Amino acid sequence: MAAEKTSGGTVLRRALRRQRARVVAGTVLLCTHQAAEALVPVAIAVIIDRAVATGDVGALLLSLAGLAVLFTVLAFAYRTGARLAYAALEQEAHLLRVEIARSALDPRGNRSGMRDGELLSVTASDAELSALVVRVAGLGAAALTAIVVAAVALLVVDVPLGLGVLVGVPLVVVALQRMAPLLSRRSAAQQEALAATTSLAVDLVSGLRVLRGIGAQGHAARRYAAASRHALDVTLRAATTKGLHLGLTTTVNGLLLAAVAGVAGWLAIQGRLTIGELVAVVGLAQFIAEPVQTLGYCVQLSAMARASAGRVARVLGAEPLTRSGSAAAPHPAPSRLALDTIGYAGLDGLCLRVGAGEVLGVLAHDPSEADALVALLSGRVPREDYRGTLYVDGVPAEGLHIDAVRGILLVEQHDVALFEGTLRANLAAGADADEAVLRAAVRAAAAEDVLAAHPHGIDRLLTERGANLSGGQRQRVGLARALAADPPVLVLHNPTTAVDAVTEALLAEGLASARAAAARGTVLITNSPALLRVTHRVVVIDRGRVVAEGPHEQLLAGDGRYRDEVLR
């Protein structure tokens, strides 16, 4: 869908096309229901004039049978039509949620500019509201059908009354429609504010331990309270507008009903209407209030759908952050990973080589340069934003299909992401991994205590984000997951910041042993002496360039700044 210009209107039109079978069938049945309901006052009028007033028992029984058939059709049409309409709504909402999730999870990234909390809001709320367009189609058509049938019935009873309804109702609808742009703006502002508040809540919850550690939870709470207050103010403004629209709709309905009923009463006094016709006119006038009210409700739903569809289109229509080539994975090269004169952010002419089976340490005196290197290797940097060339098995990465790059190069982020489910499922990450492989990875990551601490072992349940594990346990589980994937090149960024010194030493030895045994390349971006000690060589980056290179012990002995950085 991102290949063409995507707008809110595109999202809404496509929803109607995609659900057209259910929408058409549901609309026909809902229109049948409204037409039958409009005929109820007419049927009662006929019974009064032709059976009750004349005392004809046969006609009365026949009329009651006809009325029973009418109510049967009415009930069946509504039940089936409403079921189809809601099925279309829920099915479309589901499809939109899947598409939004697919776009958010695209390994190329996207340029929507939305944070995680905003994407969550779009997926949870805006998808549902955008799908309301399929409900509006059915409700709107049914309401118009009811008004047309009622107007025709009034024309049969009295032409001026029918013409008055045919002219008056469109004027009412047009007048109510004038508020639609304001409703759309207020709905859009409401959704934006709620999304921003949700995003802030996600950020605060994910960083709660850090906030407590630095004593900033009070400031965070005040910040969230301010964002929530703004969302409340915007929501109240939207509710006020919706309430005003609903109030005007109800008032106009009442005035229209009073006018029609008043004219009908006057005509009955003049002898131009029978008792049955008076009942029909008053019943129809009262009935018309409902479809007019429904049309007003449809205006509100349309406004909300348009506002939310615009936010959905922002995600679905976002350009990929990076481009994918088309070449398949090349044959392994002596240098599995190579950076040639890379310039990006703080990096300036950086050159690196990682061979098969090599454990390379990278120490950056400026942490921002380490972050830039990780961002580049993880594929989060558009090609036009960096200079030089990144080679994977001797082939420029931009020419390879993204799946080929991901199959060779795996970057384990510093902030480990674990998911709700079993520890086994987190370690396997969707692959059909052998338990022996998983346990070997756990052992190499010095994470056996995570299994031993729970009676279910590898099948213990983890809560969302692995919150029932300590920070060090999460890091080691994340490392074990990366080791179980067994990528040809594994990049680790500060993988032991929450691990004690003894465990870190065990982890370093297990990591180096596991990777060397498999002849896999490994890049450790860290200043940990335990990790750097197990590397084959270390490159030191300063001001974006490699300023020193050699074995860890050699750099400790001959480079004072390196020694100060590592041993502080």
Side-chain angles (χ1 to χ4, degrees), residues 311-325:
R311 288 169 53 76
V312 170
R314 182 178 163 188
V315 177
L316 298 184
E319 290 292 326
L321 186 63
T322 59
R323 299 292 179 180
S324 175

Side-chain angles (χ1 to χ4, degrees), residues 237-259:
R237 284 197 293 271
T240 299
T241 305
K242 292 175 184 177
L244 177 61
H245 182 267
L246 179 61
L248 288 174
T249 302
T250 303
T251 301
V252 171
N253 273 341
L255 292 175
L256 183 63
L257 170 61

Side-chain angles (χ1 to χ4, degrees), residues 278-296:
L278 176 62
V279 170
V281 170
V282 173
L284 288 170
Q286 187 174 12
F287 168 75
I288 285 176
E290 180 182 340
V292 172
Q293 189 91 8
T294 300
L295 288 177

Side-chain angles (χ1 to χ4, degrees), residues 119-383:
L119 287 171
L120 177 63
S121 177
V122 172
T123 306
S125 177
D126 289 300
E128 190 82 24
L129 293 176
S130 297
L132 284 174
V133 66
V134 300
R135 186 180 181 197
V136 169
L139 287 178
L144 290 174
T145 298
I147 292 171
V148 169
V149 171
V152 170
L154 287 172
L155 281 172
V156 172
V157 174
D158 187 83
V159 173
L161 274 177
L163 291 176
V165 172
L166 286 175
V167 173
V169 170
L171 290 177
V172 170
V173 173
V174 170
L176 294 174
Q177 186 67 26
R178 301 286 292 179
M179 290 190 68
L182 178 59
L183 285 167
S184 293
R185 289 196 299 272
R186 292 287 171 85
S187 294
Q190 178 186 9
Q191 290 301 107
E192 291 282 354
L194 291 174
T197 305
T198 302
S199 181
L200 180 58
V202 171
D203 292 343
L204 294 179
V205 170
S206 60
L208 186 57
R209 292 191 180 187
V210 176
L211 292 172
R212 286 174 175 170
I214 63 176
Q217 61 267 36
H219 172 73
R222 289 191 295 273
R223 183 181 173 194
Y224 180 77
S228 182
R229 169 57 62 181
H230 173 67
L232 175 61
D233 292 341
V234 172
T235 301
L236 289 176
R237 284 197 293 271
T240 299
T241 305
K242 292 175 184 177
L244 177 61
H245 182 267
L246 179 61
L248 288 174
T249 302
T250 303
T251 301
V252 171
N253 273 341
L255 292 175
L256 183 63
L257 170 61
V260 173
V263 171
W266 182 79
L267 291 175
I269 292 173
Q270 297 295 317
R272 292 172 55 184
L273 296 180
T274 65
I275 297 299
E277 290 173 333
L278 176 62
V279 170
V281 170
V282 173
L284 288 170
Q286 187 174 12
F287 168 75
I288 285 176
E290 180 182 340
V292 172
Q293 189 91 8
T294 300
L295 288 177
Y297 180 54
C298 287
V299 171
Q300 291 190 15
L301 293 183
S302 296
M304 291 188 291
R306 284 195 298 270
S308 289
R311 288 169 53 76
V312 170
R314 182 178 163 188
V315 177
L316 298 184
E319 290 292 326
L321 186 63
T322 59
R323 299 292 179 180
S324 175
S326 58
H331 294 293
S335 291
R336 303 303 307 263
L337 176 68
L339 284 72
D340 185 15
T341 59
I342 292 293
Y344 169 68
L347 306 178
D348 184 16
L350 179 66
C351 294
L352 289 176
R353 296 287 188 277
V354 183
E358 180 182 21
V359 180
L360 174 69
V362 177
L363 184 141
H365 288 302
D366 185 345
S368 66
E369 294 173 5
D371 292 338
L373 177 59
V374 171
L376 181 71
L377 294 177
S378 60
R380 303 199 308 268
V381 181
R383 182 63 185 91

Side-chain angles (χ1 to χ4, degrees), residues 351-416:
C351 294
L352 289 176
R353 296 287 188 277
V354 183
E358 180 182 21
V359 180
L360 174 69
V362 177
L363 184 141
H365 288 302
D366 185 345
S368 66
E369 294 173 5
D371 292 338
L373 177 59
V374 171
L376 181 71
L377 294 177
S378 60
R380 303 199 308 268
V381 181
R383 182 63 185 91
E384 61 270 17
D385 287 356
Y386 70 90
R387 304 184 308 277
T389 307
L390 171 64
Y391 292 96
V392 176
D393 279 331
V395 177
E398 65 264 24
L400 295 173
H401 192 277
I402 191 168
D403 290 339
V405 176
R406 295 297 174 100
I408 298 171
L409 175 62
L410 172 62
V411 179
E412 179 65 27
Q413 303 287 349
H414 170 64
D415 184 16
V416 176

Side-chain angles (χ1 to χ4, degrees), residues 28-46:
V28 169
L29 288 169
L30 289 176
C31 289
T32 301
H33 163 260
Q34 285 293 285
E37 198 165 12
L39 291 176
V40 169
V42 176
I44 293 174
V46 170

Side-chain angles (χ1 to χ4, degrees), residues 428-473:
D432 187 16
D434 186 83
E435 182 166 337
V437 172
L438 298 182
R439 289 188 178 276
V442 169
R443 186 165 53 254
E448 290 177 296
D449 62 301
V450 181
L451 276 61
H454 196 277
H456 291 156
I458 198 170
D459 291 311
R460 70 178 295 183
L461 289 175
L462 302 185
T463 58
E464 184 180 3
R465 295 178 177 269
N468 56 337
L469 299 179
S470 69
Q473 288 176 325

